[in-house]
Amino acid sequence: MRKCIRFVGFTMVAVSALLLWTLASPISAQAKKLTVVTSTTDMASLAQEVGGDKVAVESIAKGYQDPHFVEAKPSFLLKLRQADLLVVVGLQLEIGWLPPLITQSGNPRIQVGASGYLDASQFTEILEIPQGTVTRAEGDVHPLGNPHYWLDPDNGRRIAKGIAAKLGELDPADTGYFQERFQDFDKRLSTAEQKWEAEMKPFHGRKVVTYHNSFPNFAKHFGLNVIGYVEPRPGIPPTPSHTIELIGLMKRENCKVILVEPYFDLKTPNSIARETGGKVVQYLPSVGGEKDVTDYFKLFDYDIALLTQAFQATQ
Ligand SMILES: [Zn+2]
């Protein structure tokens, strides 16, 4: 009997040890691979650029989803539970869906303020920061400034630099690796920027309307002029009176291009295009908005090709 207890005891210890080993192994076996979870695909692409094969990166939102309104799924919790680093866009972009998931994940590494929580907005140039007190009371989903800042390649560079520094902090042995990856990304981005700027140059000053106010950083970088939005305020669906005003404005300003993010209904933009003789262009605000747009470079390649075609067609 005693022997039996001892045996059971031994087995329990062995089982516990095995369990511990199993639990620990995803970390120890991949000691060199940090698990990075990002709220959006653009952050994932930039993290992948600088993290290389020392990171496993996954985005929660898909590139064809509206990042303001993502439907939370239980699978998101599993991802967050395993994360060593969570990269968010911030400025309340994810406020409608991410904060409860972070809390519920029970992962102390990625809680707000912990070393594995990184708000990328701190590195970037933020446009449209409101003056005075702001609330979301009127439904405006940009109360802290425009959160679509990744659409300026210079901000992409700053985000990548910030992520590289954070990865080095979490995995000091590979700091040099992450820095080299950043330098290489920086170089490739500069080359790409020269090409993009040359392609966009003939269209400097061209006027566009966008459905949602997700384009100011892109417009600033490439010298475009956003004169209005299909939404009366960011996050508020179109109203007939606002649409009529917008049509009048576009006619007065001779604006012919209406950019629409892939997650919005085309009914109102199409009717605006009919009234103004304009053209609706479904541009992509994020990596993964289309199957072939698999990284940060391809995102600009894709959008710039679309825009230059649309501008040529509406000379
Ligand atoms: Zn927005």
Side-chain angles (χ1 to χ4, degrees), residues 195-216:
K195 180 175 84 85
W196 296 331
E197 273 157 28
E199 287 164 350
M200 289 298 287
K201 205 171 174 204
F203 309 106
H204 268 200
R206 287 294 285 260
K207 291 167 184 166
V208 299
V209 156
T210 63
Y211 193 107
H212 181 76
N213 182 4
S214 58
F215 207 62

Side-chain angles (χ1 to χ4, degrees), residues 149-160:
Y149 56 76
W150 65 88
L151 283 168
D152 174 348
D154 291 331
N155 275 345
R157 178 181 288 104
R158 296 179 184 121
I159 299 163

Side-chain angles (χ1 to χ4, degrees), residues 30-273:
Q30 304 177 350
K32 292 287 174 192
K33 227 170 207 191
L34 289 168
T35 300
V36 181
V37 173
T38 65
S39 61
T40 68
T41 51
D42 310 288
M43 297 299 132
S45 178
L46 294 168
Q48 189 64 66
E49 289 287 351
V50 292
D53 55 13
K54 306 283 186 191
V55 296
V57 187
E58 216 178 333
S59 164
I60 296 181
K62 305 285 184 201
Y64 49 80
Q65 288 180 311
D66 184 343
H68 286 288
F69 306 102
V70 176
E71 198 190 331
K73 288 187 191 161
S75 61
F76 297 170
L77 277 180
L78 291 176
K79 287 182 197 180
L80 288 170
R81 239 166 239 166
Q82 291 155 359
D84 297 306
L85 173 63
L86 170 65
V87 184
V88 305
V89 174
L91 301 177
Q92 299 201 357
L93 179 80
E94 304 99 335
I95 199 167
W97 54 278
L98 191 57
L101 292 174
I102 296 174
T103 314
Q104 284 164 35
S105 77
N107 178 350
R109 296 185 295 275
I110 58 153
Q111 299 300 309
V112 179
S115 64
Y117 177 90
L118 188 68
D119 180 336
S121 68
Q122 68 187 288
F123 307 118
T124 60
E125 181 191 29
I126 305 301
L127 302 176
E128 303 167 358
I129 297 173
Q131 306 294 313
T133 352
V134 271
T135 66
R136 288 166 66 96
E138 288 170 72
D140 192 324
V141 293
H142 295 169
L144 302 179
N146 197 292
H148 303 274
Y149 56 76
W150 65 88
L151 283 168
D152 174 348
D154 291 331
N155 275 345
R157 178 181 288 104
R158 296 179 184 121
I159 299 163
K161 191 177 185 186
I163 295 176
K166 174 54 81 175
L167 290 173
E169 191 188 307
L170 296 176
D171 172 12
D174 288 314
T175 303
Y177 173 84
F178 298 130
Q179 286 311 315
E180 267 170 43
R181 295 274 318 182
F182 170 70
Q183 299 301 340
D184 180 62
F185 170 74
D186 182 20
K187 226 181 270 168
R188 285 182 291 123
L189 187 63
S190 297
T191 308
E193 270 183 294
Q194 280 173 16
K195 180 175 84 85
W196 296 331
E197 273 157 28
E199 287 164 350
M200 289 298 287
K201 205 171 174 204
F203 309 106
H204 268 200
R206 287 294 285 260
K207 291 167 184 166
V208 299
V209 156
T210 63
Y211 193 107
H212 181 76
N213 182 4
S214 58
F215 207 62
N217 292 88
F218 187 104
K220 187 181 176 206
H221 188 92
F222 293 105
L224 301 177
N225 185 3
V226 183
I227 63 160
Y229 315 98
V230 178
E231 288 180 334
R233 299 173 78 85
I236 305 294
T239 60
S241 61
H242 177 74
T243 301
I244 289 166
E245 271 175 41
L246 184 64
I247 289 168
L249 177 72
M250 286 179 68
K251 283 181 176 168
R252 282 196 305 279
E253 299 277 335
N254 193 29
C255 171
K256 300 280 186 198
V257 173
I258 307 150
L259 298 175
V260 183
E261 298 80 355
Y263 31 82
F264 291 116
D265 194 276
L266 289 173
K267 203 173 136 237
T268 307
N270 282 338
S271 70
I272 296 171

